[in-house]
Amino acid sequence: TALFAATIGLRQYDIKKVLAYSTVSQLGYMFLAVGTGAYVAGVFHLVTHAFFKALLFLGAGSVIHSMHHAYHATHSHEDAQDMRNMGGLRRAMPWTFVLMLIATLAIAGIPPFAGFFSKDEILAAAFARGAEIPAFRLFWLFGVVAAALTAFYMARLMAMTFFGENRTGAEEQKHLHEAPAIMTAPLVVLGVLSAVGGLLNLPALFGGAAKLEHWLDPVLEGAHHYFPLEMPHGQTEFVLIGLAILIAVGGLVVGWRVTMSRPILPASQAAPETGFWKVLYHKYYVDEFYEAAIVGPLRRLSERVLWKDVDQGIIDRGGVEGSAGLARTLGWSGTRLQTGQVGLY
């Protein structure tokens, strides 16, 4: 799940879709932690992810608010959520830019931001479990690749949204502005939490007391006894940390360079996707397959059988209208007998 959803995020243009598939990917990390036996790490990542992903989604909402206002002012019908129509917004929206940058560094796993500690703990646990169950080394590798892809698509999102030349339009650009304080203030709170949230379960290696782990002790009592996990220590631990940082920085740099290496055209001028990028853009055609295999047949069953045959044919015509027709027929038969003419009787 972590790897599959991360690859989809590589080629989405709707800013909220990138973050939506990123959320699915991070959920995969949480399940990797729980499946590994690192229950605290899974909950820890759930908490830190709540900080930086809420910040990213609300920051995207701030961007969309500004874009929609600009297009509304000029009566344009361009897509306010398409990153190809953005660019250079850091000048018009400096607060949103800085706060989303903090969240990007957190989700990418750059120290000392919150996401680094929780994601590193999950990867270290998967690596450690691989000592007794070799398959977990493959799961660890999946997690490492997903971490690189996470940094890549977040660098792409930030580059397309906040850097380069503005692609909103000359007239529209005049109406771009920072969101009002009622929208920006929650971003500031989440920005602080995304920066320092790792302190909630800071491991002893970094001078912490693993507060979240002790807080969860009553819930997890006995769980570690049945599925014990010995986390890496010493040189191995430092190597894993260094590799995690290298992966995060490398993903951000490559994502930035690839995105900014060629001109970005507005959505209305962009060429259609081709090759494997088209597959990622269409999300591996999962939605299309689901429509063809499940939604379509269910809809046809509902329309042709359940609605037309059962509801209209059997219930309406056979039941409701049939009983009414039977009553009318019996009534008409009665009129043939009850004429009210004494002579006929």
Side-chain angles (χ1 to χ4, degrees):
T1 300
L3 185 58
F4 183 76
T7 59
I8 295 176
L10 295 175
R11 207 60 181 182
Q12 300 305 307
Y13 292 104
D14 186 315
I15 188 170
K16 289 180 71 176
K17 281 189 177 181
V18 176
L19 299 177
Y21 283 99
S22 171
T23 301
V24 176
S25 180
Q26 298 305 307
L27 289 173
Y29 266 105
M30 298 170 203
F31 276 91
L32 173 61
V34 173
T36 302
Y39 312 114
V40 175
V43 176
F44 185 26
H45 197 58
L46 174 67
V47 174
T48 60
H49 179 257
F51 298 152
F52 55 72
K53 187 53 65 66
L55 175 54
L56 287 170
F57 265 117
L58 292 179
S62 178
V63 170
I64 294 168
H65 172 269
S66 180
M67 292 285 294
H68 179 75
H69 174 80
Y71 283 139
H72 180 74
T74 59
H75 306 288
S76 174
H77 298 289
E78 294 294 332
D79 188 351
Q81 297 185 195
D82 197 313
M83 297 185 296
R84 292 171 293 189
N85 295 329
M86 299 177 186
L89 293 184
R90 73 185 189 281
R91 294 182 288 272
M93 309 182 70
W95 279 92
T96 301
F97 163 66
V98 171
L99 292 166
M100 286 191 71
L101 179 61
I102 291 173
T104 296
L105 296 175
I107 192 174
I110 300 295
F113 298 96
F116 163 74
F117 297 101
S118 56
K119 186 178 287 188
D120 178 71
E121 195 170 331
I122 294 173
L123 293 176
F127 185 87
R129 185 64 73 189
E132 56 181 285
I133 307 175
F136 275 88
R137 288 289 164 88
L138 179 62
F139 301 153
W140 169 79
L141 181 61
F142 283 172
V144 168
V145 175
L149 297 180
T150 300
F152 183 99
Y153 64 64
M154 286 309 305
R156 173 178 176 267
L157 181 148
M158 292 297 292
M160 293 185 72
T161 304
F162 294 104
F163 290 90
E165 295 298 322
N166 182 261
R167 300 176 296 277
T168 309
E171 285 300 314
E172 289 80 4
Q173 191 172 351
K174 301 174 184 177
H175 301 279
L176 294 171
H177 58 78
E178 188 64 84
I182 196 171
M183 294 177 67
T184 307
L187 301 185
V188 175
V189 175
L190 291 167
V192 173
L193 292 171
S194 298
V196 303
L199 296 176
L200 283 173
N201 199 56
L202 198 66
L205 176 67
F206 299 101
K211 296 179 181 178
L212 184 63
E213 183 170 355
H214 297 306
W215 186 71
L216 288 172
D217 276 345
V219 181
L220 299 176
E221 185 179 4
H224 296 294
H225 173 73
Y226 295 107
F227 200 28
L229 177 65
E230 183 66 31
M231 295 291 282
H233 294 291
Q235 184 178 357
T236 302
E237 188 174 11
F238 286 106
V239 169
L240 291 175
I241 291 173
L243 180 62
I245 297 173
L246 183 64
I247 288 292
V249 173
L252 289 172
V253 172
V254 173
W256 167 270
R257 291 180 65 88
V258 169
T259 305
M260 302 300 290
S261 63
R262 64 190 69 184
I264 302 172
L265 298 176
S268 59
Q269 304 173 23
E273 300 293 332
T274 58
F276 189 62
W277 288 129
K278 184 177 181 180
V279 176
L280 294 182
Y281 177 73
H282 286 283
K283 305 172 287 286
Y284 293 99
Y285 295 95
V286 171
D287 291 342
E288 288 80 353
F289 173 78
Y290 189 79
E291 173 71 28
I294 299 176
V295 176
L298 280 175
R299 184 186 294 117
R300 289 190 291 272
L301 173 68
S302 299
E303 291 178 354
R304 297 176 184 177
V305 178
L306 299 179
W307 175 35
K308 293 185 178 179
D309 294 340
V310 177
D311 192 32
Q312 290 187 332
I314 298 175
I315 297 176
D316 286 349
R317 284 191 287 273
V320 178
E321 296 176 9
S323 61
L326 177 62
R328 284 195 299 269
T329 301
L330 293 173
W332 178 84
S333 302
T335 62
R336 301 304 92 192
L337 301 174
Q338 303 292 332
T339 62
Q341 299 178 16
V342 178
L344 178 62
Y345 291 162

